[in-house]
Amino acid sequence: MSAPLRKPAPRAPGTETAVTTPGDREIRTERVFDAPRERVWRAYTDPGLVAQWWGRGNPVDVERLEVERGGHWRFVEHGPDGTTYGFEGRFREVTPPERLVQTFEWDGMPGYVAVDTTTFEDLGDGRTRIVVTALFHTREERDGMLESGMETGLNDSYEALDRLLAGQA
Amino acid sequence: MSAPLRKPAPRAPGTETAVTTPGDREIRTERVFDAPRERVWRAYTDPGLVAQWWGRGNPVDVERLEVERGGHWRFVEHGPDGTTYGFEGRFREVTPPERLVQTFEWDGMPGYVAVDTTTFEDLGDGRTRIVVTALFHTREERDGMLESGMETGLNDSYEALDRLLAGQA
């Protein structure tokens, strides 16, 4: 009935998020950020900075963020209609500023646990490549995540992270 | 150099724990208890009762045991030399008195999460069969659990549970 009023804004070259499924139980995402690795690492591990991008514009309570092996994390995102979305997990490995391995669980599906391995690669030109590999217990859980609107949510989060990183002089 | 002073006591018929590996990432254990299902269910879900058998004679602090979907559990076992062993997880499914699905993680290997499905089968003669299927993210994690002395520990726990169930008139 109605023509689109405007097209989505084109992304800056190199900032597309590449989502692939290297195995039956995995999702791999890759994204380049225009900021040095140490700054990107801080955006992932400083509670005050995480709160500024993780919720894609929604307020986030960073209830726990114990960035050490065995430490727990828990974030609660507040949606525009008052709904809250809780996420939590535990760190398996913390190797600054290169690598985080942590579990990931959404309150809405408690006990369904993915293991996220995040690597921060210094591209040598002031940019950083982030690769996340998520491993699920079953293929069905992996497919459920893919069908949940994950890619849109991830792109929204990464764009909020772009804005945060651009603003940190 | 020395002959064993005594042989292990023979187990009562039907109370051996059967441990099998139905898949690359699974461990299945099966054990019959000489008590009605409701009583066995309580021994698994009442904090005061759990503390009496889970530690195989070692004291156990049941720090959390929220037996409901999404609830957390955390037990800390105190070994004889003062060492503590923490375990925790979250309930995916609670269907009294038939079925519990929960995650399982040991503090010593944080972020390595198995999903334990426990079924309580009423054998109709006052006995209850418990079957636990543990699903791991990788075969290596599964094999690590098998090599950890799990079977001995499990038998010790189940024998402590036998004693608890026999004492509850």
Side-chain angles (χ1 to χ4, degrees):
Chain A
M1 292 290 288
S2 61
L5 289 179
R6 51 178 192 174
K7 293 180 182 172
R11 293 184 196 285
T15 60
E16 297 87 359
T17 304
V19 179
T20 53
T21 51
D24 275 357
R25 298 185 287 117
E26 287 177 299
I27 301 173
R28 181 185 188 278
T29 62
E30 181 178 329
R31 173 68 144 77
V32 173
F33 293 91
D34 189 18
R37 181 163 67 169
E38 291 280 355
R39 189 182 288 176
V40 179
W41 175 266
R42 280 203 306 277
Y44 270 76
T45 55
D46 179 298
L49 297 179
V50 168
Q52 291 178 53
W53 69 270
W54 206 84
R56 310 160 291 149
N58 289 331
V60 175
D61 298 328
V62 178
E63 296 188 349
R64 298 177 84 171
L65 183 54
E66 303 154 357
V67 186
E68 59 185 2
R69 181 173 178 273
H72 294 78
W73 66 272
R74 180 170 171 82
F75 305 161
V76 178
E77 181 178 342
H78 297 264
D81 61 355
T83 312
T84 58
Y85 303 88
F87 302 86
E88 63 181 48
R90 198 171 186 187
F91 287 99
R92 182 191 288 193
E93 181 189 327
V94 175
T95 308
E98 290 171 16
R99 196 172 135 98
L100 290 171
V101 186
Q102 70 206 92
T103 56
F104 177 97
E105 186 176 350
W106 172 46
D107 284 356
M109 289 184 63
Y112 290 85
V113 180
V115 179
D116 289 350
T117 299
T118 306
T119 58
F120 302 75
E121 184 188 353
D122 181 349
L123 295 181
D125 58 1
R127 296 182 307 151
T128 304
R129 177 184 292 125
I130 289 191
V131 176
V132 183
T133 306
L135 176 64
F136 298 80
H137 273 110
T138 65
R139 179 176 187 147
E140 291 69 31
E141 290 171 41
R142 191 277 308 269
D143 290 346
M145 176 65 89
L146 285 172
E147 290 157 12
S148 72
M150 173 208 110
E151 193 167 348
T152 303
L154 188 65
N155 275 319
D156 291 346
S157 288
Y158 280 168
E159 286 170 19
L161 178 53
D162 282 334
R163 292 190 293 274
L164 174 71
L165 293 168
Q168 280 182 319
Chain B
M1 293 288 288
S2 61
L5 290 180
R6 50 177 192 173
K7 291 180 182 170
R11 293 184 196 285
T15 60
E16 298 86 0
T17 304
V19 179
T20 54
T21 51
D24 275 358
R25 298 186 287 118
E26 287 177 300
I27 301 173
R28 182 185 188 279
T29 61
E30 180 177 330
R31 173 66 144 77
V32 173
F33 293 90
D34 189 17
R37 182 164 67 169
E38 291 281 354
R39 189 183 287 177
V40 180
W41 175 267
R42 280 203 306 277
Y44 270 76
T45 55
D46 179 296
L49 298 179
V50 169
Q52 292 179 53
W53 68 271
W54 206 85
R56 310 160 292 150
N58 289 329
V60 175
D61 297 328
V62 178
E63 296 187 349
R64 298 177 82 171
L65 183 53
E66 303 154 357
V67 187
E68 60 186 2
R69 180 172 179 272
H72 294 79
W73 66 272
R74 180 169 171 81
F75 305 161
V76 179
E77 181 178 341
H78 297 264
D81 61 353
T83 312
T84 58
Y85 302 89
F87 302 86
E88 63 181 47
R90 196 170 187 189
F91 288 99
R92 181 190 288 193
E93 180 188 328
V94 175
T95 308
E98 290 170 15
R99 196 171 135 98
L100 290 170
V101 186
Q102 69 204 91
T103 57
F104 177 98
E105 186 175 350
W106 171 47
D107 284 357
M109 289 185 63
Y112 290 86
V113 179
V115 179
D116 289 350
T117 300
T118 305
T119 57
F120 302 74
E121 184 188 353
D122 182 349
L123 295 181
D125 57 2
R127 296 182 308 152
T128 304
R129 178 184 292 125
I130 289 191
V131 176
V132 183
T133 306
L135 175 64
F136 299 80
H137 273 112
T138 66
R139 178 175 187 147
E140 292 69 30
E141 290 172 42
R142 191 277 307 268
D143 291 346
M145 176 64 90
L146 284 172
E147 291 157 11
S148 72
M150 173 208 110
E151 193 167 348
T152 303
L154 187 65
N155 276 318
D156 291 347
S157 288
Y158 281 169
E159 287 171 18
L161 179 53
D162 282 334
R163 292 190 293 274
L164 174 70
L165 294 168
Q168 280 182 318

